Amino acid sequence: MLVPQPFADATLTRDDMGFIAKLVYEHAGIVIREHKEAMTRGRLARRVKALGLGSVAEYCAFLRTPGAVSEIPELINAVTTNHTAFFRERHHFDHLRKDVLPKLLQERSGRRGRIRIWSSACSSGEEPYSIAATSRDVLGSRSDVDFRILATDIDTDILERAEAGIYPSELFERLPPDVKPLLKLEAAARGEARISEDLRRLIAFKRLNLIEKWPMGGPFDVIFCRNVFIYFDTQTKASILDRFVALLAPGGFLYLGHSESLPQPHPQLRLIGRTIYERTA
């Protein structure tokens, strides 16, 4: 039984740092480099406190035991970064609105055709809700197309927040005036607002580890994978990219983050805009 302690020692030895980095890489493919030691120590300290342990060293010793299997997802939750924003990297949503969705609607409306978009590391939900808001504005009230967004993340805690769709109101005050109304905000508790049900029901939130087997078969017309590759090594990025391409429909689009690029040129992708790639065949 874990006994609560009044004070937690957050010291992280080099050996324990190496152990944590190896564990996270094996289970999530995420690379934690040595210069992230302070950040890692702070995040582990939160798990130490939650479990009532006395130190980070004690937590690492616990992780080395067979009984710690169920703690691995909590460790991954603790060390993953969830920085995002509504309509972050606006040019992707402008491309979706002006170039992608009108063409897809022209091809598939009238015969209940499918349009599928995947937000592959959705974090706290700002990205899929921005996709939903943009798409609803283009789709309007039409019902002659089967439109859905899949939003996945490895962090189970952040997925619960994303699915709730409730955010501090101040986040919306900073949005450009032309996109804020698209989110169709509803009143929530004081100082908070909720994304409208009309947008929330377009999205299915699921837990997914990008380095494990994926249950869905695609195809997707658009895949968002932004500010994710920066956490993987070249080999992992190349593997995930191949699997993205396999699930992307010919003529579909892949959006990466502003500081990211392909790990290597891909024979089935061509760059058509700022961090926008189109599957060619």
PDB file of all heavy atoms in Angstrom, residues 86-98 134 175-180 182 226 274:
ATOM      1  N   PHE A  86      -6.614  27.286 -30.612  1.00  0.00           N
ATOM      2  CA  PHE A  86      -7.613  27.321 -31.674  1.00  0.00           C
ATOM      3  C   PHE A  86      -7.033  28.031 -32.901  1.00  0.00           C
ATOM      4  O   PHE A  86      -6.392  29.079 -32.796  1.00  0.00           O
ATOM      5  CB  PHE A  86      -8.869  28.059 -31.194  1.00  0.00           C
ATOM      6  CG  PHE A  86      -9.662  27.294 -30.173  1.00  0.00           C
ATOM      7  CD1 PHE A  86      -9.589  27.633 -28.829  1.00  0.00           C
ATOM      8  CD2 PHE A  86     -10.451  26.222 -30.550  1.00  0.00           C
ATOM      9  CE1 PHE A  86     -10.316  26.921 -27.874  1.00  0.00           C
ATOM     10  CE2 PHE A  86     -11.183  25.504 -29.608  1.00  0.00           C
ATOM     11  CZ  PHE A  86     -11.110  25.853 -28.274  1.00  0.00           C
ATOM     12  N   PHE A  87      -7.257  27.438 -34.049  1.00  0.00           N
ATOM     13  CA  PHE A  87      -6.826  27.987 -35.342  1.00  0.00           C
ATOM     14  C   PHE A  87      -5.323  28.290 -35.358  1.00  0.00           C
ATOM     15  O   PHE A  87      -4.883  29.223 -36.005  1.00  0.00           O
ATOM     16  CB  PHE A  87      -7.647  29.226 -35.722  1.00  0.00           C
ATOM     17  CG  PHE A  87      -9.090  28.898 -35.981  1.00  0.00           C
ATOM     18  CD1 PHE A  87     -10.036  29.033 -34.974  1.00  0.00           C
ATOM     19  CD2 PHE A  87      -9.504  28.425 -37.220  1.00  0.00           C
ATOM     20  CE1 PHE A  87     -11.375  28.701 -35.201  1.00  0.00           C
ATOM     21  CE2 PHE A  87     -10.835  28.095 -37.455  1.00  0.00           C
ATOM     22  CZ  PHE A  87     -11.775  28.241 -36.446  1.00  0.00           C
ATOM     23  N   ARG A  88      -4.571  27.472 -34.645  1.00  0.00           N
ATOM     24  CA  ARG A  88      -3.112  27.601 -34.664  1.00  0.00           C
ATOM     25  C   ARG A  88      -2.613  27.286 -36.074  1.00  0.00           C
ATOM     26  O   ARG A  88      -3.074  26.339 -36.691  1.00  0.00           O
ATOM     27  CB  ARG A  88      -2.506  26.621 -33.663  1.00  0.00           C
ATOM     28  CG  ARG A  88      -1.006  26.735 -33.488  1.00  0.00           C
ATOM     29  CD  ARG A  88      -0.516  25.634 -32.556  1.00  0.00           C
ATOM     30  NE  ARG A  88       0.885  25.815 -32.200  1.00  0.00           N
ATOM     31  CZ  ARG A  88       1.603  24.898 -31.543  1.00  0.00           C
ATOM     32  NH1 ARG A  88       1.044  23.762 -31.168  1.00  0.00           N
ATOM     33  NH2 ARG A  88       2.857  25.120 -31.253  1.00  0.00           N
ATOM     34  N   GLU A  89      -1.692  28.058 -36.569  1.00  0.00           N
ATOM     35  CA  GLU A  89      -1.201  27.931 -37.949  1.00  0.00           C
ATOM     36  C   GLU A  89      -2.391  28.032 -38.904  1.00  0.00           C
ATOM     37  O   GLU A  89      -2.797  27.083 -39.578  1.00  0.00           O
ATOM     38  CB  GLU A  89      -0.401  26.642 -38.128  1.00  0.00           C
ATOM     39  CG  GLU A  89       0.817  26.608 -37.201  1.00  0.00           C
ATOM     40  CD  GLU A  89       1.682  25.377 -37.366  1.00  0.00           C
ATOM     41  OE1 GLU A  89       2.078  25.097 -38.501  1.00  0.00           O
ATOM     42  OE2 GLU A  89       1.956  24.710 -36.361  1.00  0.00           O
ATOM     43  N   ARG A  90      -2.910  29.228 -38.934  1.00  0.00           N
ATOM     44  CA  ARG A  90      -4.165  29.542 -39.619  1.00  0.00           C
ATOM     45  C   ARG A  90      -4.181  29.112 -41.093  1.00  0.00           C
ATOM     46  O   ARG A  90      -5.247  28.776 -41.641  1.00  0.00           O
ATOM     47  CB  ARG A  90      -4.382  31.060 -39.473  1.00  0.00           C
ATOM     48  CG  ARG A  90      -5.465  31.692 -40.292  1.00  0.00           C
ATOM     49  CD  ARG A  90      -6.848  31.422 -39.732  1.00  0.00           C
ATOM     50  NE  ARG A  90      -7.859  32.013 -40.578  1.00  0.00           N
ATOM     51  CZ  ARG A  90      -8.424  33.199 -40.365  1.00  0.00           C
ATOM     52  NH1 ARG A  90      -8.090  33.909 -39.303  1.00  0.00           N
ATOM     53  NH2 ARG A  90      -9.336  33.678 -41.184  1.00  0.00           N
ATOM     54  N   HIS A  91      -3.015  29.106 -41.735  1.00  0.00           N
ATOM     55  CA  HIS A  91      -3.004  28.833 -43.174  1.00  0.00           C
ATOM     56  C   HIS A  91      -3.535  27.434 -43.507  1.00  0.00           C
ATOM     57  O   HIS A  91      -4.072  27.213 -44.597  1.00  0.00           O
ATOM     58  CB  HIS A  91      -1.593  29.019 -43.747  1.00  0.00           C
ATOM     59  CG  HIS A  91      -0.571  28.082 -43.210  1.00  0.00           C
ATOM     60  ND1 HIS A  91      -0.003  28.218 -41.959  1.00  0.00           N
ATOM     61  CD2 HIS A  91      -0.009  26.963 -43.745  1.00  0.00           C
ATOM     62  CE1 HIS A  91       0.869  27.250 -41.775  1.00  0.00           C
ATOM     63  NE2 HIS A  91       0.885  26.471 -42.826  1.00  0.00           N
ATOM     64  N   HIS A  92      -3.416  26.490 -42.566  1.00  0.00           N
ATOM     65  CA  HIS A  92      -3.965  25.157 -42.820  1.00  0.00           C
ATOM     66  C   HIS A  92      -5.491  25.192 -42.897  1.00  0.00           C
ATOM     67  O   HIS A  92      -6.107  24.522 -43.745  1.00  0.00           O
ATOM     68  CB  HIS A  92      -3.527  24.191 -41.716  1.00  0.00           C
ATOM     69  CG  HIS A  92      -2.069  23.830 -41.773  1.00  0.00           C
ATOM     70  ND1 HIS A  92      -1.318  23.572 -40.648  1.00  0.00           N
ATOM     71  CD2 HIS A  92      -1.217  23.702 -42.833  1.00  0.00           C
ATOM     72  CE1 HIS A  92      -0.071  23.289 -41.009  1.00  0.00           C
ATOM     73  NE2 HIS A  92       0.015  23.373 -42.322  1.00  0.00           N
ATOM     74  N   PHE A  93      -6.104  25.954 -42.024  1.00  0.00           N
ATOM     75  CA  PHE A  93      -7.567  26.034 -42.016  1.00  0.00           C
ATOM     76  C   PHE A  93      -8.078  26.836 -43.225  1.00  0.00           C
ATOM     77  O   PHE A  93      -9.158  26.550 -43.747  1.00  0.00           O
ATOM     78  CB  PHE A  93      -8.049  26.623 -40.689  1.00  0.00           C
ATOM     79  CG  PHE A  93      -7.616  25.786 -39.511  1.00  0.00           C
ATOM     80  CD1 PHE A  93      -6.486  26.109 -38.780  1.00  0.00           C
ATOM     81  CD2 PHE A  93      -8.305  24.620 -39.181  1.00  0.00           C
ATOM     82  CE1 PHE A  93      -6.059  25.321 -37.724  1.00  0.00           C
ATOM     83  CE2 PHE A  93      -7.882  23.820 -38.130  1.00  0.00           C
ATOM     84  CZ  PHE A  93      -6.758  24.170 -37.402  1.00  0.00           C
ATOM     85  N   ASP A  94      -7.299  27.823 -43.648  1.00  0.00           N
ATOM     86  CA  ASP A  94      -7.674  28.562 -44.855  1.00  0.00           C
ATOM     87  C   ASP A  94      -7.598  27.644 -46.080  1.00  0.00           C
ATOM     88  O   ASP A  94      -8.461  27.703 -46.964  1.00  0.00           O
ATOM     89  CB  ASP A  94      -6.739  29.767 -45.040  1.00  0.00           C
ATOM     90  CG  ASP A  94      -6.963  30.835 -43.986  1.00  0.00           C
ATOM     91  OD1 ASP A  94      -8.053  30.852 -43.370  1.00  0.00           O
ATOM     92  OD2 ASP A  94      -6.042  31.656 -43.768  1.00  0.00           O
ATOM     93  N   HIS A  95      -6.578  26.788 -46.124  1.00  0.00           N
ATOM     94  CA  HIS A  95      -6.458  25.833 -47.246  1.00  0.00           C
ATOM     95  C   HIS A  95      -7.603  24.837 -47.218  1.00  0.00           C
ATOM     96  O   HIS A  95      -8.199  24.514 -48.263  1.00  0.00           O
ATOM     97  CB  HIS A  95      -5.105  25.107 -47.146  1.00  0.00           C
ATOM     98  CG  HIS A  95      -4.886  24.114 -48.248  1.00  0.00           C
ATOM     99  ND1 HIS A  95      -5.034  22.758 -48.075  1.00  0.00           N
ATOM    100  CD2 HIS A  95      -4.540  24.290 -49.552  1.00  0.00           C
ATOM    101  CE1 HIS A  95      -4.771  22.138 -49.226  1.00  0.00           C
ATOM    102  NE2 HIS A  95      -4.468  23.037 -50.130  1.00  0.00           N
ATOM    103  N   LEU A  96      -7.929  24.359 -46.023  1.00  0.00           N
ATOM    104  CA  LEU A  96      -9.039  23.418 -45.873  1.00  0.00           C
ATOM    105  C   LEU A  96     -10.342  24.041 -46.366  1.00  0.00           C
ATOM    106  O   LEU A  96     -11.127  23.407 -47.084  1.00  0.00           O
ATOM    107  CB  LEU A  96      -9.162  23.012 -44.405  1.00  0.00           C
ATOM    108  CG  LEU A  96     -10.244  21.996 -44.038  1.00  0.00           C
ATOM    109  CD1 LEU A  96      -9.964  20.630 -44.649  1.00  0.00           C
ATOM    110  CD2 LEU A  96     -10.366  21.875 -42.507  1.00  0.00           C
ATOM    111  N   ARG A  97     -10.557  25.297 -45.996  1.00  0.00           N
ATOM    112  CA  ARG A  97     -11.815  25.975 -46.339  1.00  0.00           C
ATOM    113  C   ARG A  97     -11.910  26.294 -47.836  1.00  0.00           C
ATOM    114  O   ARG A  97     -12.948  26.049 -48.466  1.00  0.00           O
ATOM    115  CB  ARG A  97     -11.918  27.289 -45.556  1.00  0.00           C
ATOM    116  CG  ARG A  97     -13.098  28.178 -45.974  1.00  0.00           C
ATOM    117  CD  ARG A  97     -12.867  29.619 -45.549  1.00  0.00           C
ATOM    118  NE  ARG A  97     -12.731  29.710 -44.108  1.00  0.00           N
ATOM    119  CZ  ARG A  97     -13.781  29.784 -43.278  1.00  0.00           C
ATOM    120  NH1 ARG A  97     -14.985  29.808 -43.765  1.00  0.00           N
ATOM    121  NH2 ARG A  97     -13.573  29.870 -41.991  1.00  0.00           N
ATOM    122  N   LYS A  98     -10.832  26.801 -48.396  1.00  0.00           N
ATOM    123  CA  LYS A  98     -10.902  27.332 -49.766  1.00  0.00           C
ATOM    124  C   LYS A  98     -10.600  26.287 -50.834  1.00  0.00           C
ATOM    125  O   LYS A  98     -11.157  26.342 -51.937  1.00  0.00           O
ATOM    126  CB  LYS A  98      -9.915  28.496 -49.905  1.00  0.00           C
ATOM    127  CG  LYS A  98     -10.241  29.677 -49.011  1.00  0.00           C
ATOM    128  CD  LYS A  98      -9.150  30.737 -49.094  1.00  0.00           C
ATOM    129  CE  LYS A  98      -9.435  31.893 -48.137  1.00  0.00           C
ATOM    130  NZ  LYS A  98      -8.304  32.872 -48.106  1.00  0.00           N
ATOM    131  N   THR A 134     -14.457  25.134 -39.081  1.00  0.00           N
ATOM    132  CA  THR A 134     -14.179  25.477 -40.475  1.00  0.00           C
ATOM    133  C   THR A 134     -15.066  24.656 -41.416  1.00  0.00           C
ATOM    134  O   THR A 134     -15.652  25.182 -42.373  1.00  0.00           O
ATOM    135  CB  THR A 134     -12.698  25.206 -40.794  1.00  0.00           C
ATOM    136  OG1 THR A 134     -11.877  25.992 -39.920  1.00  0.00           O
ATOM    137  CG2 THR A 134     -12.368  25.537 -42.240  1.00  0.00           C
ATOM    138  N   LEU A 175      -9.054  35.341 -30.225  1.00  0.00           N
ATOM    139  CA  LEU A 175      -9.220  34.837 -31.592  1.00  0.00           C
ATOM    140  C   LEU A 175      -9.551  35.957 -32.564  1.00  0.00           C
ATOM    141  O   LEU A 175     -10.220  36.936 -32.204  1.00  0.00           O
ATOM    142  CB  LEU A 175     -10.344  33.807 -31.624  1.00  0.00           C
ATOM    143  CG  LEU A 175     -10.055  32.444 -30.992  1.00  0.00           C
ATOM    144  CD1 LEU A 175     -11.322  31.596 -30.982  1.00  0.00           C
ATOM    145  CD2 LEU A 175      -8.947  31.736 -31.742  1.00  0.00           C
ATOM    146  N   PRO A 176      -9.128  35.820 -33.824  1.00  0.00           N
ATOM    147  CA  PRO A 176      -9.531  36.802 -34.847  1.00  0.00           C
ATOM    148  C   PRO A 176     -11.052  36.860 -34.946  1.00  0.00           C
ATOM    149  O   PRO A 176     -11.734  35.837 -34.818  1.00  0.00           O
ATOM    150  CB  PRO A 176      -8.907  36.234 -36.130  1.00  0.00           C
ATOM    151  CG  PRO A 176      -7.771  35.389 -35.671  1.00  0.00           C
ATOM    152  CD  PRO A 176      -8.212  34.800 -34.356  1.00  0.00           C
ATOM    153  N   PRO A 177     -11.616  38.045 -35.169  1.00  0.00           N
ATOM    154  CA  PRO A 177     -13.081  38.183 -35.163  1.00  0.00           C
ATOM    155  C   PRO A 177     -13.788  37.379 -36.233  1.00  0.00           C
ATOM    156  O   PRO A 177     -14.983  37.093 -36.099  1.00  0.00           O
ATOM    157  CB  PRO A 177     -13.284  39.694 -35.359  1.00  0.00           C
ATOM    158  CG  PRO A 177     -11.988  40.205 -35.894  1.00  0.00           C
ATOM    159  CD  PRO A 177     -10.927  39.328 -35.369  1.00  0.00           C
ATOM    160  N   ASP A 178     -13.096  36.993 -37.291  1.00  0.00           N
ATOM    161  CA  ASP A 178     -13.792  36.247 -38.346  1.00  0.00           C
ATOM    162  C   ASP A 178     -13.928  34.758 -38.033  1.00  0.00           C
ATOM    163  O   ASP A 178     -14.736  34.069 -38.656  1.00  0.00           O
ATOM    164  CB  ASP A 178     -13.074  36.424 -39.691  1.00  0.00           C
ATOM    165  CG  ASP A 178     -11.656  35.878 -39.661  1.00  0.00           C
ATOM    166  OD1 ASP A 178     -10.968  36.056 -38.641  1.00  0.00           O
ATOM    167  OD2 ASP A 178     -11.223  35.269 -40.663  1.00  0.00           O
ATOM    168  N   VAL A 179     -13.150  34.239 -37.072  1.00  0.00           N
ATOM    169  CA  VAL A 179     -13.253  32.802 -36.777  1.00  0.00           C
ATOM    170  C   VAL A 179     -13.954  32.508 -35.445  1.00  0.00           C
ATOM    171  O   VAL A 179     -14.516  31.420 -35.273  1.00  0.00           O
ATOM    172  CB  VAL A 179     -11.863  32.103 -36.779  1.00  0.00           C
ATOM    173  CG1 VAL A 179     -11.237  32.190 -38.157  1.00  0.00           C
ATOM    174  CG2 VAL A 179     -10.957  32.682 -35.717  1.00  0.00           C
ATOM    175  N   LYS A 180     -13.928  33.441 -34.530  1.00  0.00           N
ATOM    176  CA  LYS A 180     -14.561  33.189 -33.226  1.00  0.00           C
ATOM    177  C   LYS A 180     -16.027  32.768 -33.351  1.00  0.00           C
ATOM    178  O   LYS A 180     -16.452  31.796 -32.707  1.00  0.00           O
ATOM    179  CB  LYS A 180     -14.423  34.423 -32.331  1.00  0.00           C
ATOM    180  CG  LYS A 180     -15.065  34.240 -30.969  1.00  0.00           C
ATOM    181  CD  LYS A 180     -14.928  35.498 -30.114  1.00  0.00           C
ATOM    182  CE  LYS A 180     -15.695  35.342 -28.805  1.00  0.00           C
ATOM    183  NZ  LYS A 180     -15.606  36.573 -27.982  1.00  0.00           N
ATOM    184  N   LEU A 182     -17.450  31.086 -35.533  1.00  0.00           N
ATOM    185  CA  LEU A 182     -17.574  29.755 -36.121  1.00  0.00           C
ATOM    186  C   LEU A 182     -17.631  28.662 -35.061  1.00  0.00           C
ATOM    187  O   LEU A 182     -18.134  27.568 -35.316  1.00  0.00           O
ATOM    188  CB  LEU A 182     -16.401  29.479 -37.074  1.00  0.00           C
ATOM    189  CG  LEU A 182     -16.197  30.466 -38.227  1.00  0.00           C
ATOM    190  CD1 LEU A 182     -15.020  30.024 -39.094  1.00  0.00           C
ATOM    191  CD2 LEU A 182     -17.460  30.578 -39.067  1.00  0.00           C
ATOM    192  N   ARG A 226       0.488  17.821 -36.581  1.00  0.00           N
ATOM    193  CA  ARG A 226       1.253  19.067 -36.437  1.00  0.00           C
ATOM    194  C   ARG A 226       1.951  19.134 -35.083  1.00  0.00           C
ATOM    195  O   ARG A 226       1.363  18.875 -34.052  1.00  0.00           O
ATOM    196  CB  ARG A 226       0.302  20.247 -36.619  1.00  0.00           C
ATOM    197  CG  ARG A 226      -0.483  20.136 -37.933  1.00  0.00           C
ATOM    198  CD  ARG A 226      -1.315  21.336 -38.235  1.00  0.00           C
ATOM    199  NE  ARG A 226      -2.202  21.705 -37.147  1.00  0.00           N
ATOM    200  CZ  ARG A 226      -2.770  22.907 -37.033  1.00  0.00           C
ATOM    201  NH1 ARG A 226      -2.541  23.816 -37.955  1.00  0.00           N
ATOM    202  NH2 ARG A 226      -3.553  23.159 -36.024  1.00  0.00           N
ATOM    203  N   ARG A 274       2.900  25.777 -47.626  1.00  0.00           N
ATOM    204  CA  ARG A 274       3.670  25.798 -46.383  1.00  0.00           C
ATOM    205  C   ARG A 274       3.257  24.649 -45.469  1.00  0.00           C
ATOM    206  O   ARG A 274       2.162  24.656 -44.930  1.00  0.00           O
ATOM    207  CB  ARG A 274       3.458  27.152 -45.702  1.00  0.00           C
ATOM    208  CG  ARG A 274       4.324  27.391 -44.492  1.00  0.00           C
ATOM    209  CD  ARG A 274       4.532  28.884 -44.253  1.00  0.00           C
ATOM    210  NE  ARG A 274       3.301  29.642 -44.372  1.00  0.00           N
ATOM    211  CZ  ARG A 274       2.705  30.280 -43.359  1.00  0.00           C
ATOM    212  NH1 ARG A 274       3.234  30.234 -42.162  1.00  0.00           N
ATOM    213  NH2 ARG A 274       1.607  30.973 -43.553  1.00  0.00           N
TER     214      ARG A 274
END
